Amino acid sequence: MKKNLSKIVLLASLIVGLSSYTSNAQTVTKSEDLDMDGKTDNIVLTVEKDAFFGQLYKSISINGKSFDLSQYNANKFSVLDINSKDKQKEIVFTSMGEDSMGDAYIFTYKNKNLEKIGNLSVKGGDLQVNTKLNRVEIQKYTNFASDYVQYYEKYTIENGKLKNITPDEKNLFSEPHPKKILKYKMSKSLNTFSDAKMKKAGETVKPGEIITILAFNTKADYFKIKTSSGKIGYVPIVITGKEINGGSIKALKQYEKDYDKNNQFEVANIQ
């Protein structure tokens, strides 16, 4: 009798546990032509509540075939068409934390299978498609002087995989608007070079003159600038190693020794 009672209690606890689990999960149904064959694909997403992420996508079912997503901790879902010429849409699951930093996992639905083609590091979900150039562009952030500046990383799909096509030299713009120009008044003179290899001496910027920072190169470590006279110049930079909001502060190499290590938003020769 006691054994039977124990079995009944155990069975009841399992039923309660199952009930609490299923009540925490819900399904979301969507329709998309993922493989662009003219037929609508039926998508069913299983979503669970989560204390940290708010919600988590646990699985996706496409036309009745289920695929596990638990390893990705994804709390955002979207469908994009990165390349309009390949007749294939992309499914994006993003794992985004409270600090707005996260990872975007990109899949395609091909031959009745869900195939992962790549993943990207994103901030604030800033992943957008450039429909004219058939590529994904992600806003990235760095700091210089007191400015919070941005640049774009660029990706395309090649041979069924996501490929980084970001050039080493990246155009900079001021947050939050790409039309805001990065202009600085020099408090000290600045030596520039006329070529990106820093072999030929260029114009010397005098104290009080304005420079405009156009781009920076993370591989060759230089700023591309425009002087008050309209000439293009190149200025060596160093990366201090201090990170703020996912970016690295840059200091001008000419005045690296003057860099104020006690004030991470200050570069000594910029006012």
Side-chain angles (χ1 to χ4, degrees):
M1 182 67 179
K2 288 183 178 180
K3 289 183 178 181
N4 291 336
L5 183 61
S6 298
K7 289 180 180 180
I8 293 172
V9 171
L10 177 60
L11 181 61
S13 65
L14 288 173
I15 293 172
V16 170
L18 180 62
S19 176
S20 61
Y21 172 80
T22 54
S23 64
N24 188 37
Q26 61 178 341
T27 56
V28 178
T29 303
K30 295 181 177 293
S31 297
E32 288 277 355
D33 185 2
L34 296 172
D35 49 10
M36 308 289 281
D37 61 356
K39 300 177 182 178
T40 300
D41 296 300
N42 298 315
I43 303 171
V44 180
L45 297 154
T46 302
V47 189
E48 288 185 7
K49 293 180 181 179
D50 183 83
F52 179 77
F53 291 99
Q55 64 176 22
L56 286 175
Y57 290 96
K58 305 302 289 186
S59 67
I60 181 172
S61 174
I62 305 175
N63 299 328
K65 187 175 181 179
S66 185
F67 305 93
D68 182 49
L69 300 170
S70 55
Q71 63 178 306
Y72 301 110
N73 288 326
N75 54 356
K76 291 188 177 182
F77 162 82
S78 60
V79 176
L80 304 176
D81 187 7
I82 296 174
N83 188 345
S84 59
K85 296 179 180 179
D86 67 1
K87 296 182 178 181
Q88 186 76 50
K89 289 184 180 179
E90 288 71 41
I91 300 171
V92 182
F93 286 100
T94 306
S95 175
M96 193 70 65
E98 290 180 347
D99 57 356
S100 296
M101 298 293 293
D103 294 292
Y105 302 93
I106 303 178
F107 300 83
T108 56
Y109 179 65
K110 201 171 184 180
N111 299 322
K112 298 182 179 180
N113 280 310
L114 191 67
E115 299 178 7
K116 181 182 170 186
I117 64 171
N119 58 280
L120 304 172
S121 176
V122 295
K123 177 178 173 63
D126 294 329
L127 187 154
Q128 53 191 322
V129 176
N130 187 323
T131 54
K132 291 183 179 180
L133 298 175
N134 292 312
R135 68 190 186 197
V136 169
E137 296 179 349
I138 303 174
Q139 288 184 353
K140 293 289 184 175
Y141 304 82
T142 188
N143 293 275
F144 181 66
S146 59
D147 277 316
Y148 192 37
V149 295
Q150 299 182 32
Y151 60 95
Y152 283 110
E153 277 188 357
K154 302 165 186 177
Y155 296 82
T156 188
I157 297 175
E158 189 173 297
N159 298 322
K161 294 293 181 182
L162 209 61
K163 182 180 180 181
N164 190 338
I165 57 169
T166 309
D168 292 334
E169 187 175 288
K170 306 168 184 65
N171 294 333
L172 285 172
F173 57 92
S174 183
E175 198 276 335
H177 204 283
K179 290 185 178 180
K180 185 177 178 182
I181 299 172
L182 297 170
K183 289 190 175 185
Y184 300 92
K185 185 178 181 181
M186 300 302 300
S187 59
K188 296 182 180 181
S189 62
L190 179 65
N191 300 326
T192 72
F193 293 86
S194 60
D195 65 317
K197 294 183 178 180
M198 264 69 81
K199 299 293 185 182
K200 299 178 182 179
E203 181 180 348
T204 298
V205 179
K206 298 176 181 178
E209 292 184 343
I210 304 293
I211 64 168
T212 303
I213 297 180
L214 304 173
F216 79 128
N217 189 308
T218 51
K219 187 170 284 188
D221 290 348
Y222 66 73
F223 275 136
K224 180 180 180 180
I225 70 165
K226 184 167 72 173
T227 65
S228 297
S229 64
K231 292 183 179 179
I232 300 297
Y234 299 85
V235 180
I237 61 175
V238 292
I239 300 175
T240 67
K242 294 181 180 179
E243 293 190 353
I244 302 174
N245 297 321
S248 298
I249 300 172
K250 307 295 186 298
L252 304 182
K253 191 171 181 63
Q254 184 178 343
Y255 294 105
E256 180 181 3
K257 293 181 180 179
D258 297 336
Y259 180 78
D260 185 357
K261 294 181 179 179
N262 296 318
N263 187 344
Q264 53 192 5
F265 285 104
E266 187 74 22
V267 177
N269 58 311
I270 298 293
Q271 66 177 30

